[in-house]
Amino acid sequence: VTRFGAVVPTLAADWRALALSWGIHAIDPDVSLTSLRTFELLNTQVEPALLRALALALWGALRDGGTAKAQLLLRLMRQLPRLAPERVDASTWLLLAQTAAALLRAAPAHLFEASARLLLSTLAAQGPDGPPEEMLSSLALLWRETAQIHHACGSRAAGPGAGWGGG
């Protein structure tokens, strides 16, 4: 892409789109993971529609038992908003937070940390004023169950964020 990008100006965008499509739709797990990693390397932008597509792909990966794909999608969902946080609207931030919160309860235990990191990075990205009331109220059930989640996972942490590591 670097070498031929000057000759074919749309090459990077074309490869990026192709890698994302294969990453989401490929049946072969090796092709899917390699394509998502290629997308991760080539991607330089983020749009709310992309994050929504990744959230849907994440649920599909979990349904199909694709744990490695789910972990990679969680990482992408956590890292992509950093490219252009001002372009991520409130409804997309809410979707990311709700997806992460739902995964804390529904996903296999080994995805707990990745889900927690997505939730924490989403909340941290809300700026100095903190998350909007709509996001906090939609996560109220999670806050009430935090002690149970920590206990079930063997954590000694006292509250959200403690012991989970940074984003």
Side-chain angles (χ1 to χ4, degrees), residues 82-108:
R82 294 178 189 163
L83 295 175
E86 68 279 355
R87 297 171 80 184
V88 179
D89 59 13
S91 66
T92 304
W93 285 118
L94 182 60
L95 171 70
L96 291 175
Q98 290 172 332
T99 299
L103 281 172
L104 289 175
R105 294 187 47 139

Side-chain angles (χ1 to χ4, degrees), residues 9 20 32 52 70 73 81 87 90 96 106 109 111 114 130 134 139 141 144 154-155 160 162:
L20 179 61
S32 180
R52 287 189 289 275
L73 287 165
R87 297 171 80 184
L96 291 175
L111 290 178
E134 179 183 24
L139 299 173
L141 179 61
R144 285 193 297 271
S155 173

Side-chain angles (χ1 to χ4, degrees), residues 138-159:
S138 72
L139 299 173
L141 179 61
L142 173 68
W143 301 141
R144 285 193 297 271
E145 295 182 358
T146 299
Q148 294 172 359
I149 292 170
H150 281 286
H151 179 71
C153 292
S155 173
R156 293 175 288 170

Side-chain angles (χ1 to χ4, degrees), residues 54-63 66-67 69-75 77-78 95-119 139 142 145 149 153:
L54 293 176
L56 291 174
L58 172 63
W59 289 112
L62 290 171
R63 179 197 63 222
T67 304
K69 183 175 181 177
Q71 287 175 318
L72 182 52
L73 287 165
L74 278 166
R75 187 173 75 223
M77 291 170 65
R78 188 177 77 246
L95 171 70
L96 291 175
Q98 290 172 332
T99 299
L103 281 172
L104 289 175
R105 294 187 47 139
H110 56 278
L111 290 178
F112 181 86
E113 183 179 350
S115 303
R117 285 177 184 251
L118 174 60
L119 179 58
L139 299 173
L142 173 68
E145 295 182 358
I149 292 170
C153 292

